[in-house]
Amino acid sequence: MLGWGRSNNWLTHMHGTVVHKKLRFGPFELSIGERVLRRDGRVLPLGDRALDILTYLADRPGEVIAKQALINHVWSDVIVEEGTLRVHVAAIRKALRDGQFGNRYIANVKGRGYSFVGTVAPLAGGTESSNAKFAPQGRPPVRPMMIGRETVVGEVSEKLRNERFVTLLGPGGIGKTTVALAVARAAAEEFGRSVHFVDLETLTDPRHVAGAVATSLGFALRSKDSGLELVDLVRSQKLLIILDNCEHVIEAVALLAEQLYQGSEQIYLLATSRELLKVGGEHCWRVLPLDFPPVGSEQTANAVLRYPAVQLLARRVAARAGSFVLTDEEAPFVAEMCRKLDGIPLAIELAAGQVAALGLKNTVARLELLKLGHRSAVARHQTLKATLDWSYNLLSEGERIVLRRIAPFVGQFTLEGARYVAGELGIGTEETFDAIAGLVEKSLIATQIDETQVMYRLLDTTRAYALEKLEEHAEVDAVLRRHGQYVAGHLESRSYPVGN
């Protein structure tokens, strides 16, 4: 990928001497040889098992480590439950103050394991003579499992290298963060490991955005104009800064990103968001759903397994059930499930748990899109409903009204159709048009432009959520009546779909 390689982070062995590395991330220093974690020179109390876990993760930044692999490494001689691992990870997070001021070190990667997402820099550490035979702590880093995204990672890497500022755009659960981490991993060598991941999800005050970025870079800001101060501090450095989960503090992120981009020719920015930052220098890259078998396609096991959405489902079911072999009889059910889930990776990951427990046929028959959950995911990704709640709560009141009122449309619909159905109950034409534009910008409505006009569509998962909101607001009868009137009035016109 354009020469962007990877660096090895495991212990080295030279002339019979074991070189015990020291790793630096934020204000912390981890001495692997001494088995000590320090903050600003002060030793922090951390148990042996927690230190083993932290070392294993920090020595492989960006790599997704399966929970079972961590358990096998740390408790090789005993059998422990996954809950024990979670307790020790919680202790590490407490010691690192993980999540404070937007600074993140250990991330749960949806249904897959843990990843160290802090920026790690090796320090010059002392060497300790050892007569013992060197045993490497783990293997060279392997790339985290991605399906159907390899080409995207390469293309985004090239775009970032040429343009310096790229925003990965898409709805919740589409895999923006996964792509961003893969791009960062590929770029690590190019940037001399000056790759900084800033998770903005936990921020509630936009005024803390610049401080969160500065903390990730190892700075403490002091002036009132924090953005310009940060630019002055990093102007001469070559950095890649990943701004993850921007949508809820979008204005503050946009201002800071523009300042960083314009203030230096060596600062590269990769943002993930459900809407664009809309500032100078930004280039959009829309992250699309995984391809899934379309209606009418061949439905054998070999045929459907050519599609990334099916491959992801099969692998995740196998990871949960121990093994999984897709048969020709089951292939149509898998194809139908991936279509219902719109090829959204998060939805597929969550559905895999039910497949492992209930089987394919039963899962398809009772697929509850908005109630699938995963305990190890971040709060807003624990269920599809939580993911959509996150987006819905960021909408204006007009956008919320229009979103729920266009829920009766199945498939494509027109702007005029949306105006007719959504605009009758106290919302005007211009407000409806502005709301539709806003919903498109926020990745909640998909668009397709043909030769004559723009067509709109809600993903099935979003539509199911919007129908729930329609019921909550007691508007079902009135809106369905308007939708029926609209469809009836256009039955004879086949110039465009009506979304009936």
Side-chain angles (χ1 to χ4, degrees), residues 41 456 484:
Y456 303 89

Side-chain angles (χ1 to χ4, degrees), residues 93 96-108 115-119 197-202 212 215-216 244-245 378:
R93 284 177 166 150
L96 298 179
R97 302 180 185 178
D98 201 351
Q100 292 188 18
F101 308 108
N103 204 30
R104 295 293 301 277
Y105 293 104
I106 298 177
N108 290 325
S115 179
F116 196 92
V117 295
T119 301
F197 182 90
V198 187
D199 186 353
L200 300 169
E201 180 204 350
T202 58
T215 299
S216 176
D244 195 40
N245 302 315
V378 294

